[in-house]
Amino acid sequence: MGTDSPELDRLLDRAAGGDEAAVNELFDRHRDRVRRMVALRLDRRVRDRVDPSDVVQDVHLALFTRLPDYLADRRLPFFLWLRLEVGQQLIQTHRKHLHAEMRHPRR
């Protein structure tokens, strides 16, 4: 198990039991840090198409899908795992929008 605080571990246990409020609280605890990560790492070419808040919202939605996998094997502290998920979401966003830019009819 990762090195999360006992309070965070209790939230993770509640989330593992299907408590959606616990999942939301887990994300809310880290929302500001996630927002800063996205703002720092979002490619400037993508910022014209995507607001960082949209990426943060996508991470939050993805959390409901991917959290059960994390909860089944908590080797990493929660925030490190969440940071990996943010990175994956940024990769997907960049691929989607930069690839779309390459296909633009005027290019």
Side-chain angles (χ1 to χ4, degrees), residues 13-61:
D13 290 341
R14 285 179 41 211
D19 186 344
E20 287 186 17
V23 176
N24 287 326
E25 189 174 337
L26 282 166
F27 188 75
D28 287 343
R29 286 174 171 236
H30 300 289
R31 183 182 301 274
D32 291 336
R33 291 172 77 183
V34 168
R35 188 182 322 274
R36 285 192 305 269
M37 277 190 286
V38 169
L40 286 171
R41 294 182 181 149
L42 191 62
D43 189 294
R44 64 176 171 72
R45 297 171 293 173
V46 175
R47 284 180 191 267
D48 293 339
R49 296 173 178 226
V50 177
D51 188 89
S53 294
D54 294 334
V55 178
V56 171
Q57 183 177 12
D58 290 342
V59 170
H60 189 188
L61 291 173

Side-chain angles (χ1 to χ4, degrees), residues 57-74:
Q57 183 177 12
D58 290 342
V59 170
H60 189 188
L61 291 173
L63 187 63
F64 283 95
T65 307
R66 296 187 182 128
L67 187 62
D69 292 334
Y70 169 75
L71 293 171
D73 182 13
R74 297 188 210 176

Side-chain angles (χ1 to χ4, degrees), residues 93-107:
T93 301
H94 286 138
R95 283 181 182 159
K96 177 181 175 184
H97 291 281
L98 292 177
H99 185 68
E101 186 176 295
M102 290 186 321
R103 292 186 318 225
H104 193 279
R106 292 186 183 168
R107 290 187 167 251

